Structures are given as structure tokens and as C-alpha cells.
Amino acid sequence: MNDDDRIERLDETECWRILSEQKLGRLATTAGGVLDIFPVNYHADGQTVLFRTAPGDKLLELTIHDHVVFEVDGFDERSGWSVVVKGAARALDRGHEIETADAVGLTSWLPTEKQVYVRIVPSGLTGRRFTRADASSPSLGES
Amino acid sequence: MSDTAIEHLEPDDCWELLTASDFGRLGVATDEGGADIFPMNYLAKDRALYVRSAPGSKMIDLTRHPLVAFEVDGTRDRLRWSVVVKGEAQRLSRDSEIEESGVLGLWSQNPTEKWNYVRLTPKSVTGRRFASRRSR
């Protein structure tokens, strides 16, 4: 049996629906060829993904290499799913952009004092849903 | 709240958290110079992580991009935590390696020879922990 038989590709509408229902995702950056992953709280508005971060390493990486990958996943008893957003990330530095972002009421995952908003404009959006072949496998756990 | 609210975890604490969990996200580099992320179950044993990739899947292109990052996070005692392991991924080629790793125990269904089993040998392990500002 080919494992792909159990993988369902999600269309763009379904991907955005999943993105809009959750708050926590993981961001991967590849500055200088070095891969890193961070959990981030986010808000998806159907066109872009907004998150807040400390103006430290992560932001520096974005200015060096703005192509990022953002992932959200979830599961229930019967299936699991993941949505991957690829795109360019940019820190918001204009007053009206920041005001718009403030209205979302987003908090940073890390309790850092200084925070900047970053918005990802997707160039690619893919979603997969897969049947959990082994319902007796260990719980995936709260994350 | 100041940045001092974030506790940086020692390796022992990181491994204790990794061992107590079984689900994380694997980040891999791609040919295009970007990255990709895959959620998956894992096993932590003897300070290494073990995962498997689906049959026929090209999700983990180890030969071209062996350096990977694996992130696990959660909440314990009202504290949020996140641990990131960076290291080298290597496909387990010998049956004895696969048996000894215990990775087969991650799933109770009978594995076939098409599954790829992968060991992630850490080069660095970093972790952070902080108080949750609101209950989730």
C-alpha cells in the first residue's frame, strides 16, 4: 500500500480555514544556510500571516534572508493535518501598518518586552490531511 | 514583563522534556535554499532523536541536506517550554540499528521495509521556559 493513498491534499480555502482557527504555529528560517525553528503566536487574515517577535536574532535573520516557512498542525482521533505557508516575511515599520496590526490583539509567544510585528505574504500554501493509520499509537500530546 | 522572565534550560532539562514528549516538528533545508517543516512523532533515547519517514516519501532528503532542526514545545506546570535540537540526520541502514534504537516501538502497526528510519545526532540542544500569561 502506498502511504500517499491516505494523504489528502487540502485546497486553499481549507488551508486558510485551518490557519484562522489556531493561534500557535512554528516558523522556520534559513539565515546563512542555518536552519532554525521557533514557535510563534500568529493571526491569519485569509491573505497574510501576522506574528510578533522580539527584535533580536529572529528579526535579524529575516532581514538577511526573508524567505520563511510557517507551519500549523493539528489532529483529532481519526486524522492529522498540517498547513505550510511559504513566503516573504517583513517587519512592519510604518505607523499605519502597526496600528492595523495592533487592532488584531496579538501577543508574542515569548514574554519579551520589545516586540515587532512581522507579516508573511505567502507565495505558496500547501495543506495535507492524513488518516491516522494507527489509532492505538501514543497520543500526539498537547503542544 | 522583562526578558529575564525567560529561563534558558540546561541540556539535562532539555532532554528530560524531550524524553517526556513524542511529537515535534522537523525542519529541513530544501534545494531552493528554503526550508520545509513536517510534524511527526519521535523517540528520544540516549541523547539522540529517532523519527521515520513515510514509505516512498521524499520528505527528508538526507543525502543533500543532512543538517536539520527539530522543535518540540508544550506546557508543564503552567510553564511554556520549547526545545530545539540541531544536528545531523542519518538514515539507519542496518536492521540491528533500527532494532536497538527502539524507534519501531513508536508505532504498533507492522512496519514494512519501505519505511525509512532516521537518527538525528545532536550538535546543539537549546531550550527556553517561561510562565504562561494566560491559561490555554
PDB file of all heavy atoms in Angstrom, chain B residues 20-46:
ATOM      1  N   ALA B  20      10.070  13.113  27.640  1.00  0.00           N
ATOM      2  CA  ALA B  20       8.696  13.017  28.130  1.00  0.00           C
ATOM      3  C   ALA B  20       7.667  13.293  27.031  1.00  0.00           C
ATOM      4  O   ALA B  20       6.474  13.121  27.248  1.00  0.00           O
ATOM      5  CB  ALA B  20       8.490  13.980  29.293  1.00  0.00           C
ATOM      6  N   SER B  21       8.117  13.753  25.884  1.00  0.00           N
ATOM      7  CA  SER B  21       7.196  14.064  24.796  1.00  0.00           C
ATOM      8  C   SER B  21       7.450  13.114  23.625  1.00  0.00           C
ATOM      9  O   SER B  21       8.420  12.345  23.626  1.00  0.00           O
ATOM     10  CB  SER B  21       7.384  15.521  24.368  1.00  0.00           C
ATOM     11  OG  SER B  21       6.379  15.902  23.458  1.00  0.00           O
ATOM     12  N   ASP B  22       6.566  13.164  22.627  1.00  0.00           N
ATOM     13  CA  ASP B  22       6.752  12.261  21.483  1.00  0.00           C
ATOM     14  C   ASP B  22       6.301  12.874  20.157  1.00  0.00           C
ATOM     15  O   ASP B  22       6.125  12.183  19.176  1.00  0.00           O
ATOM     16  CB  ASP B  22       6.028  10.931  21.718  1.00  0.00           C
ATOM     17  CG  ASP B  22       4.509  11.093  21.788  1.00  0.00           C
ATOM     18  OD1 ASP B  22       4.012  12.228  21.622  1.00  0.00           O
ATOM     19  OD2 ASP B  22       3.821  10.085  22.012  1.00  0.00           O
ATOM     20  N   PHE B  23       6.091  14.193  20.157  1.00  0.00           N
ATOM     21  CA  PHE B  23       5.599  14.835  18.951  1.00  0.00           C
ATOM     22  C   PHE B  23       6.300  16.168  18.758  1.00  0.00           C
ATOM     23  O   PHE B  23       6.393  16.959  19.703  1.00  0.00           O
ATOM     24  CB  PHE B  23       4.083  15.046  19.062  1.00  0.00           C
ATOM     25  CG  PHE B  23       3.461  15.683  17.865  1.00  0.00           C
ATOM     26  CD1 PHE B  23       3.371  14.994  16.666  1.00  0.00           C
ATOM     27  CD2 PHE B  23       2.966  16.965  17.930  1.00  0.00           C
ATOM     28  CE1 PHE B  23       2.785  15.582  15.551  1.00  0.00           C
ATOM     29  CE2 PHE B  23       2.378  17.553  16.828  1.00  0.00           C
ATOM     30  CZ  PHE B  23       2.285  16.858  15.639  1.00  0.00           C
ATOM     31  N   GLY B  24       6.818  16.383  17.557  1.00  0.00           N
ATOM     32  CA  GLY B  24       7.512  17.632  17.297  1.00  0.00           C
ATOM     33  C   GLY B  24       7.482  17.965  15.818  1.00  0.00           C
ATOM     34  O   GLY B  24       6.724  17.367  15.055  1.00  0.00           O
ATOM     35  N   ARG B  25       8.270  18.961  15.441  1.00  0.00           N
ATOM     36  CA  ARG B  25       8.321  19.375  14.046  1.00  0.00           C
ATOM     37  C   ARG B  25       9.755  19.320  13.547  1.00  0.00           C
ATOM     38  O   ARG B  25      10.652  19.897  14.163  1.00  0.00           O
ATOM     39  CB  ARG B  25       7.800  20.801  13.856  1.00  0.00           C
ATOM     40  CG  ARG B  25       6.297  20.911  13.988  1.00  0.00           C
ATOM     41  CD  ARG B  25       5.893  21.147  15.401  1.00  0.00           C
ATOM     42  NE  ARG B  25       4.441  21.055  15.591  1.00  0.00           N
ATOM     43  CZ  ARG B  25       3.862  21.027  16.776  1.00  0.00           C
ATOM     44  NH1 ARG B  25       4.580  21.080  17.872  1.00  0.00           N
ATOM     45  NH2 ARG B  25       2.560  20.931  16.874  1.00  0.00           N
ATOM     46  N   LEU B  26       9.918  18.660  12.396  1.00  0.00           N
ATOM     47  CA  LEU B  26      11.225  18.551  11.771  1.00  0.00           C
ATOM     48  C   LEU B  26      11.360  19.632  10.712  1.00  0.00           C
ATOM     49  O   LEU B  26      10.506  19.753   9.835  1.00  0.00           O
ATOM     50  CB  LEU B  26      11.383  17.164  11.134  1.00  0.00           C
ATOM     51  CG  LEU B  26      12.691  16.925  10.390  1.00  0.00           C
ATOM     52  CD1 LEU B  26      13.845  16.776  11.381  1.00  0.00           C
ATOM     53  CD2 LEU B  26      12.583  15.700   9.494  1.00  0.00           C
ATOM     54  N   GLY B  27      12.425  20.412  10.810  1.00  0.00           N
ATOM     55  CA  GLY B  27      12.729  21.412   9.799  1.00  0.00           C
ATOM     56  C   GLY B  27      13.886  20.929   8.946  1.00  0.00           C
ATOM     57  O   GLY B  27      14.906  20.494   9.478  1.00  0.00           O
ATOM     58  N   VAL B  28      13.702  20.975   7.639  1.00  0.00           N
ATOM     59  CA  VAL B  28      14.756  20.537   6.728  1.00  0.00           C
ATOM     60  C   VAL B  28      15.014  21.632   5.697  1.00  0.00           C
ATOM     61  O   VAL B  28      14.131  22.415   5.366  1.00  0.00           O
ATOM     62  CB  VAL B  28      14.366  19.224   5.998  1.00  0.00           C
ATOM     63  CG1 VAL B  28      14.163  18.098   6.996  1.00  0.00           C
ATOM     64  CG2 VAL B  28      13.104  19.413   5.165  1.00  0.00           C
ATOM     65  N   ALA B  29      16.239  21.681   5.198  1.00  0.00           N
ATOM     66  CA  ALA B  29      16.573  22.621   4.132  1.00  0.00           C
ATOM     67  C   ALA B  29      16.165  22.014   2.800  1.00  0.00           C
ATOM     68  O   ALA B  29      16.094  20.793   2.641  1.00  0.00           O
ATOM     69  CB  ALA B  29      18.064  22.918   4.153  1.00  0.00           C
ATOM     70  N   THR B  30      15.881  22.881   1.845  1.00  0.00           N
ATOM     71  CA  THR B  30      15.477  22.411   0.524  1.00  0.00           C
ATOM     72  C   THR B  30      16.467  22.882  -0.528  1.00  0.00           C
ATOM     73  O   THR B  30      17.276  23.789  -0.290  1.00  0.00           O
ATOM     74  CB  THR B  30      14.072  22.933   0.147  1.00  0.00           C
ATOM     75  OG1 THR B  30      14.125  24.376   0.107  1.00  0.00           O
ATOM     76  CG2 THR B  30      13.036  22.510   1.165  1.00  0.00           C
ATOM     77  N   ASP B  31      16.384  22.287  -1.701  1.00  0.00           N
ATOM     78  CA  ASP B  31      17.296  22.648  -2.788  1.00  0.00           C
ATOM     79  C   ASP B  31      17.176  24.111  -3.182  1.00  0.00           C
ATOM     80  O   ASP B  31      18.130  24.711  -3.666  1.00  0.00           O
ATOM     81  CB  ASP B  31      17.004  21.783  -4.025  1.00  0.00           C
ATOM     82  CG  ASP B  31      17.563  20.379  -3.857  1.00  0.00           C
ATOM     83  OD1 ASP B  31      18.389  20.195  -2.953  1.00  0.00           O
ATOM     84  OD2 ASP B  31      17.162  19.488  -4.624  1.00  0.00           O
ATOM     85  N   GLU B  32      15.991  24.673  -2.981  1.00  0.00           N
ATOM     86  CA  GLU B  32      15.766  26.063  -3.398  1.00  0.00           C
ATOM     87  C   GLU B  32      16.368  27.062  -2.417  1.00  0.00           C
ATOM     88  O   GLU B  32      16.223  28.272  -2.589  1.00  0.00           O
ATOM     89  CB  GLU B  32      14.272  26.340  -3.542  1.00  0.00           C
ATOM     90  CG  GLU B  32      13.561  25.488  -4.585  1.00  0.00           C
ATOM     91  CD  GLU B  32      13.294  24.062  -4.127  1.00  0.00           C
ATOM     92  OE1 GLU B  32      13.050  23.883  -2.913  1.00  0.00           O
ATOM     93  OE2 GLU B  32      13.378  23.137  -4.943  1.00  0.00           O
ATOM     94  N   GLY B  33      17.011  26.554  -1.366  1.00  0.00           N
ATOM     95  CA  GLY B  33      17.577  27.455  -0.372  1.00  0.00           C
ATOM     96  C   GLY B  33      16.592  27.813   0.718  1.00  0.00           C
ATOM     97  O   GLY B  33      16.881  28.626   1.594  1.00  0.00           O
ATOM     98  N   GLY B  34      15.428  27.230   0.665  1.00  0.00           N
ATOM     99  CA  GLY B  34      14.418  27.478   1.686  1.00  0.00           C
ATOM    100  C   GLY B  34      14.366  26.345   2.686  1.00  0.00           C
ATOM    101  O   GLY B  34      15.332  25.618   2.884  1.00  0.00           O
ATOM    102  N   ALA B  35      13.225  26.242   3.331  1.00  0.00           N
ATOM    103  CA  ALA B  35      13.064  25.212   4.341  1.00  0.00           C
ATOM    104  C   ALA B  35      11.678  24.594   4.220  1.00  0.00           C
ATOM    105  O   ALA B  35      10.803  25.108   3.527  1.00  0.00           O
ATOM    106  CB  ALA B  35      13.248  25.808   5.733  1.00  0.00           C
ATOM    107  N   ASP B  36      11.521  23.490   4.884  1.00  0.00           N
ATOM    108  CA  ASP B  36      10.204  22.885   4.974  1.00  0.00           C
ATOM    109  C   ASP B  36      10.045  22.326   6.388  1.00  0.00           C
ATOM    110  O   ASP B  36      11.043  22.071   7.070  1.00  0.00           O
ATOM    111  CB  ASP B  36      10.046  21.775   3.933  1.00  0.00           C
ATOM    112  CG  ASP B  36       8.645  21.755   3.348  1.00  0.00           C
ATOM    113  OD1 ASP B  36       7.708  22.221   4.037  1.00  0.00           O
ATOM    114  OD2 ASP B  36       8.482  21.282   2.216  1.00  0.00           O
ATOM    115  N   ILE B  37       8.800  22.179   6.813  1.00  0.00           N
ATOM    116  CA  ILE B  37       8.523  21.714   8.174  1.00  0.00           C
ATOM    117  C   ILE B  37       7.528  20.560   8.117  1.00  0.00           C
ATOM    118  O   ILE B  37       6.525  20.649   7.407  1.00  0.00           O
ATOM    119  CB  ILE B  37       7.908  22.838   9.045  1.00  0.00           C
ATOM    120  CG1 ILE B  37       8.826  24.063   9.068  1.00  0.00           C
ATOM    121  CG2 ILE B  37       7.673  22.346  10.467  1.00  0.00           C
ATOM    122  CD1 ILE B  37       8.275  25.210   9.917  1.00  0.00           C
ATOM    123  N   PHE B  38       7.802  19.530   8.890  1.00  0.00           N
ATOM    124  CA  PHE B  38       6.905  18.377   8.941  1.00  0.00           C
ATOM    125  C   PHE B  38       6.633  18.002  10.392  1.00  0.00           C
ATOM    126  O   PHE B  38       7.577  17.791  11.151  1.00  0.00           O
ATOM    127  CB  PHE B  38       7.536  17.173   8.235  1.00  0.00           C
ATOM    128  CG  PHE B  38       7.909  17.429   6.816  1.00  0.00           C
ATOM    129  CD1 PHE B  38       9.208  17.802   6.485  1.00  0.00           C
ATOM    130  CD2 PHE B  38       6.971  17.320   5.806  1.00  0.00           C
ATOM    131  CE1 PHE B  38       9.569  18.044   5.176  1.00  0.00           C
ATOM    132  CE2 PHE B  38       7.319  17.562   4.489  1.00  0.00           C
ATOM    133  CZ  PHE B  38       8.619  17.928   4.177  1.00  0.00           C
ATOM    134  N   PRO B  39       5.362  17.914  10.760  1.00  0.00           N
ATOM    135  CA  PRO B  39       5.048  17.424  12.097  1.00  0.00           C
ATOM    136  C   PRO B  39       5.217  15.908  12.136  1.00  0.00           C
ATOM    137  O   PRO B  39       4.856  15.225  11.178  1.00  0.00           O
ATOM    138  CB  PRO B  39       3.574  17.805  12.278  1.00  0.00           C
ATOM    139  CG  PRO B  39       3.023  17.850  10.895  1.00  0.00           C
ATOM    140  CD  PRO B  39       4.154  18.250   9.988  1.00  0.00           C
ATOM    141  N   MET B  40       5.768  15.395  13.208  1.00  0.00           N
ATOM    142  CA  MET B  40       5.919  13.944  13.290  1.00  0.00           C
ATOM    143  C   MET B  40       6.192  13.466  14.712  1.00  0.00           C
ATOM    144  O   MET B  40       6.652  14.218  15.570  1.00  0.00           O
ATOM    145  CB  MET B  40       7.033  13.468  12.361  1.00  0.00           C
ATOM    146  CG  MET B  40       8.404  14.055  12.637  1.00  0.00           C
ATOM    147  SD  MET B  40       9.616  13.412  11.460  1.00  0.00           S
ATOM    148  CE  MET B  40       8.992  14.057   9.916  1.00  0.00           C
ATOM    149  N   ASN B  41       5.893  12.196  14.911  1.00  0.00           N
ATOM    150  CA  ASN B  41       6.246  11.553  16.167  1.00  0.00           C
ATOM    151  C   ASN B  41       7.748  11.297  16.201  1.00  0.00           C
ATOM    152  O   ASN B  41       8.401  11.194  15.165  1.00  0.00           O
ATOM    153  CB  ASN B  41       5.529  10.207  16.295  1.00  0.00           C
ATOM    154  CG  ASN B  41       4.081  10.381  16.663  1.00  0.00           C
ATOM    155  OD1 ASN B  41       3.214  10.275  15.801  1.00  0.00           O
ATOM    156  ND2 ASN B  41       3.814  10.651  17.922  1.00  0.00           N
ATOM    157  N   TYR B  42       8.285  11.213  17.385  1.00  0.00           N
ATOM    158  CA  TYR B  42       9.708  10.919  17.509  1.00  0.00           C
ATOM    159  C   TYR B  42       9.930  10.120  18.790  1.00  0.00           C
ATOM    160  O   TYR B  42       9.045  10.027  19.662  1.00  0.00           O
ATOM    161  CB  TYR B  42      10.536  12.206  17.543  1.00  0.00           C
ATOM    162  CG  TYR B  42      10.390  12.967  18.850  1.00  0.00           C
ATOM    163  CD1 TYR B  42      11.287  12.758  19.897  1.00  0.00           C
ATOM    164  CD2 TYR B  42       9.341  13.854  19.043  1.00  0.00           C
ATOM    165  CE1 TYR B  42      11.139  13.435  21.109  1.00  0.00           C
ATOM    166  CE2 TYR B  42       9.189  14.526  20.240  1.00  0.00           C
ATOM    167  CZ  TYR B  42      10.089  14.316  21.270  1.00  0.00           C
ATOM    168  OH  TYR B  42       9.932  14.972  22.458  1.00  0.00           O
ATOM    169  N   LEU B  43      11.123   9.587  18.883  1.00  0.00           N
ATOM    170  CA  LEU B  43      11.559   8.915  20.095  1.00  0.00           C
ATOM    171  C   LEU B  43      12.882   9.535  20.518  1.00  0.00           C
ATOM    172  O   LEU B  43      13.777   9.708  19.691  1.00  0.00           O
ATOM    173  CB  LEU B  43      11.764   7.419  19.823  1.00  0.00           C
ATOM    174  CG  LEU B  43      12.363   6.611  20.977  1.00  0.00           C
ATOM    175  CD1 LEU B  43      11.318   6.370  22.057  1.00  0.00           C
ATOM    176  CD2 LEU B  43      12.915   5.282  20.470  1.00  0.00           C
ATOM    177  N   ALA B  44      12.993   9.912  21.785  1.00  0.00           N
ATOM    178  CA  ALA B  44      14.263  10.406  22.321  1.00  0.00           C
ATOM    179  C   ALA B  44      14.885   9.285  23.132  1.00  0.00           C
ATOM    180  O   ALA B  44      14.254   8.735  24.036  1.00  0.00           O
ATOM    181  CB  ALA B  44      14.037  11.631  23.199  1.00  0.00           C
ATOM    182  N   LYS B  45      16.129   8.941  22.795  1.00  0.00           N
ATOM    183  CA  LYS B  45      16.809   7.867  23.515  1.00  0.00           C
ATOM    184  C   LYS B  45      18.314   8.086  23.457  1.00  0.00           C
ATOM    185  O   LYS B  45      18.859   8.348  22.380  1.00  0.00           O
ATOM    186  CB  LYS B  45      16.463   6.511  22.884  1.00  0.00           C
ATOM    187  CG  LYS B  45      16.979   5.336  23.686  1.00  0.00           C
ATOM    188  CD  LYS B  45      16.730   4.032  22.953  1.00  0.00           C
ATOM    189  CE  LYS B  45      17.327   2.880  23.758  1.00  0.00           C
ATOM    190  NZ  LYS B  45      17.339   1.632  22.971  1.00  0.00           N
ATOM    191  N   ASP B  46      18.954   7.967  24.606  1.00  0.00           N
ATOM    192  CA  ASP B  46      20.413   8.106  24.692  1.00  0.00           C
ATOM    193  C   ASP B  46      20.895   9.384  24.004  1.00  0.00           C
ATOM    194  O   ASP B  46      21.873   9.395  23.281  1.00  0.00           O
ATOM    195  CB  ASP B  46      21.108   6.884  24.089  1.00  0.00           C
ATOM    196  CG  ASP B  46      20.754   5.612  24.836  1.00  0.00           C
ATOM    197  OD1 ASP B  46      20.424   5.708  26.035  1.00  0.00           O
ATOM    198  OD2 ASP B  46      20.793   4.536  24.223  1.00  0.00           O
TER     199      ASP B  46
END
